Amino acid sequence: MESDRSPRCARCDSKECRNGKDCFCLSQEHAGMYGDEEIGPLHSAAAAIEAEHYGRKTRLGEIIEFAKHLGCERLGLAFCIGLAEEARVIEAILAKQFDVVSVCCKVCGIDKKQFGLPYVRDVNRESMCNPAGQADLLNLAGSELNILCGLCVGHDAIFSMVSSAPVVTLIAKDRVLGHNPAAAIYSQYIRREFGV
């Protein structure tokens, strides 16, 4: 029986890959992936931003530098309606250097009843989130880099699947923790809820 070669790096205490160890004997194959005409420039830009701004710029600042490094002129902003004010501020900041197109999660106002989706509130009509439509509209608008601002878990995955442009996340939604999902890891009380 062949041994399981599934990566479980989170369980590794040594992280010898930092010093060049190739636990999976795939370094040449993986290195070849960065020769791809789409992946290569993104990787190069990401590495440049990491090297130049590590620990000195906010994530928003790094996204701006990343977009500039890629030569982007038009950015897409896909946001949750619950973060409309944050989206307004983000758009104002980005618009100083880029043409920004933005789209709200409730775009097109499709009723959840059409797909038999559960309502969050006790109301007669509730529009569903439309992440595929958000991505489609940004595709049609010709965005060169799309920025996620608080899309729901799962909706972010759909958006990324449909988006023609690369996708980066600025805000990961966490309604309970003020959009700081890492706080669940840092709090012993919350970790306890997960049995850790």
Side-chain angles (χ1 to χ4, degrees), residues 42-108:
L42 290 172
H43 188 255
S44 178
I49 300 314
E50 178 189 23
E52 192 173 335
H53 304 290
Y54 192 86
R56 291 191 289 274
K57 283 204 181 266
T58 62
R59 187 168 182 89
L60 178 57
E62 287 186 344
I63 289 172
I64 290 168
E65 295 302 323
F66 182 64
K68 288 184 344 190
H69 195 88
L70 290 172
C72 296
E73 294 179 7
R74 176 168 271 198
L75 303 183
L77 178 62
F79 66 94
C80 168
I81 197 167
L83 282 89
E85 185 53 36
E86 290 85 345
R88 188 182 325 275
V89 172
I90 294 163
E91 194 276 341
I93 292 168
L94 295 174
K96 292 181 182 299
Q97 300 178 62
F98 306 96
D99 177 25
V100 182
V101 288
S102 59
V103 61
C104 174
C105 65
K106 301 296 184 182
V107 67
C108 298

Side-chain angles (χ1 to χ4, degrees), residues 103-104 107-108 130-140 158-159 162:
V103 61
C104 174
V107 67
C108 298
N130 182 8
Q134 286 178 288
D136 181 59
L137 285 166
L138 294 180
N139 291 345
L140 292 170
I158 295 167
F159 181 94
V162 177

